[in-house]
Amino acid sequence: MSKKHQTSDTTIGIIYAGGTFGSHGNPLQSLDNATFLPVLTDILSQHFADYEKTVNWQILPNSLVKDSSQLTPSDFAHFYELIIQAYQTGIRQFVLLTGTDTLSYLSAFLAHSLADSDLCVIITGAMQPLLQPLSPDYLLNFDSDASENLFQSCRLAVTGEAGVQACFTYEHWHAQTVQKIHSHDMIAFTGHHKVGYPATSYRQFTAKQREIWLTQQLENMDNTLQNLANVQVLPIFLTPMSADNLADLIRTMLKNQPNALMLLGFGAGNLPHNQAVEQALTDAHAQGCLVAISTQCPFGGVSDSYQAGAWLNDFFVLNTGRLTIPAIFARLLWLVATVDNVKDRRKIWQKMLN
């Protein structure tokens, strides 16, 4: 279902993907399109009617509506493809409504997959449903953050600023910097306003440049989607353990033939260290598995200022700087899906990090 106004150069594509925003009942569950989209259409009609200049908008057909905790890399690819398909029709500005559990992961993925384009994508959700959970008439929930998150995202999308951003509770951030910091409070997300990559890689396109970028995406689409369906990026979350136990854990994970491992260490990226861990990391490299070091700390990232982490540089482990865990996951996912050679993946990682 969609609504289109008549005269404007701006068209906003609205994508409803489920999550708390469109949930109802007890326990909360995402409403299907047939039930929720008429309500959303009415709300958007009233919102855009208040604009001084008429703005075209339409709700894009989307069959993938689910709780965001159930999203997979293949589902991320679905939204990438959906946005590219709409881009072919001339839509350049989007608002994506999704669940909060993996909002930071989906945001970071789209930031990487749509980098070097002129697309404007605003991603939002809600910590309380748009509708009163137990109302049989689907009445608006005035205690919810959903309406304001939606309206603020639409305002950002209308500006058309190229890039992918997440918008939540009167704030917005570069998508690849966003982290969920609270499981149920309204102020659930945070992020950074200044970042080097990939925000600065977005640019204004000429018509010819837009055509070239789009052609490249379409030419690689089938291969990219197939690869994303098969990529394995697996985490190892450290608790206090012996180095031998860590080595055993890495070797166990390698039996799954992952494309990449994320080591979630302590502090600035520190790990237990002995010869067995060195050998396990060497085995991962020989197997073609990328290994990236991150930290369980929500802010600050990793560094090699401590010997407890600096030794990793000698055993093929990728430094992740100040990247968040969702951003690391998204970058590894996109690299594996789009770059065939492991050596080239490592080179590109270092180039992007610098």
Side-chain angles (χ1 to χ4, degrees), residues 259-274:
N259 302 103
L261 293 177
M262 295 171 53
L263 303 177
L264 308 183
F266 308 111
N270 302 325
L271 299 177
H273 179 200
N274 68 3

Side-chain angles (χ1 to χ4, degrees), residues 69-331:
S69 65
Q70 308 301 308
L71 292 178
T72 67
S74 290
D75 295 330
F76 291 177
H78 165 86
F79 293 112
Y80 163 70
E81 183 180 22
L82 182 62
I83 289 170
I84 294 297
Q85 289 173 342
Y87 189 58
Q88 286 182 270
T89 70
I91 300 176
R92 194 183 66 80
Q93 292 143 260
F94 299 85
V95 172
L96 172 56
L97 308 174
T98 186
T100 61
D101 283 350
T102 57
L103 183 148
S104 58
Y105 287 87
L106 177 57
S107 298
F109 173 80
L110 290 175
H112 284 282
S113 61
L114 302 175
D116 295 316
S117 76
D118 67 337
L119 280 155
C120 170
V121 181
I122 313 299
I123 303 171
T124 193
M127 296 303 291
Q128 294 292 328
L130 179 69
L131 307 176
Q132 295 178 23
L134 300 180
S135 168
D137 299 322
Y138 303 119
L139 300 176
L140 284 181
N141 179 7
F142 293 105
D143 294 326
S144 172
D145 55 337
S147 293
E148 190 52 48
N149 287 347
L150 172 63
F151 299 156
Q152 180 65 20
S153 296
C154 289
R155 295 183 195 108
L156 286 172
V158 167
T159 68
E161 181 181 351
V164 182
Q165 298 185 68
C167 176
F168 222 88
T169 321
Y170 302 102
E171 291 219 57
H172 56 93
W173 313 272
H174 299 299
Q176 76 282 12
T177 74
V178 173
Q179 298 189 73
K180 188 173 183 180
I181 57 172
H182 204 291
S183 59
H184 56 270
D185 195 271
M186 293 286 192
I187 305 176
F189 288 88
T190 189
H192 295 293
H193 294 285
K194 294 182 180 179
V195 67
Y197 177 84
T200 54
S201 68
Y202 292 91
R203 57 182 184 268
Q204 297 300 316
F205 273 11
T206 65
K208 184 61 176 178
Q209 289 171 323
R210 183 178 294 115
E211 180 182 345
I212 292 172
W213 185 88
L214 180 58
T215 299
Q216 292 173 339
Q217 304 308 304
L218 295 174
E219 287 177 346
N220 297 322
M221 181 71 72
D222 289 344
N223 188 57
T224 299
L225 297 180
Q226 182 177 353
N227 289 342
L228 284 168
N230 296 301
V231 173
Q232 283 197 88
V233 177
L234 303 180
I236 296 179
F237 188 100
L238 271 76
T239 55
M241 66 178 69
S242 70
D244 285 335
N245 284 342
L246 174 58
D248 289 340
L249 187 53
I250 294 173
R251 284 193 290 263
T252 298
M253 297 292 274
L254 289 176
K255 292 178 182 179
N256 295 306
Q257 299 294 313
N259 302 103
L261 293 177
M262 295 171 53
L263 303 177
L264 308 183
F266 308 111
N270 302 325
L271 299 177
H273 179 200
N274 68 3
Q275 189 173 357
V277 177
E278 293 177 358
Q279 186 59 54
L281 294 174
T282 301
D283 292 343
H285 178 71
Q287 189 173 303
C289 175
L290 298 176
V291 180
I293 179 64
S294 184
T295 173
Q296 298 166 34
C297 298
F299 304 105
V302 301
S303 73
D304 55 8
S305 57
Y306 291 89
Q307 180 55 34
W311 65 273
L312 293 168
N313 295 329
D314 297 325
F315 293 92
F316 315 104
V317 177
L318 300 171
N319 189 291
T320 60
R322 296 181 64 187
L323 292 176
T324 64
I325 290 172
I328 296 166
F329 178 84
R331 181 175 290 187

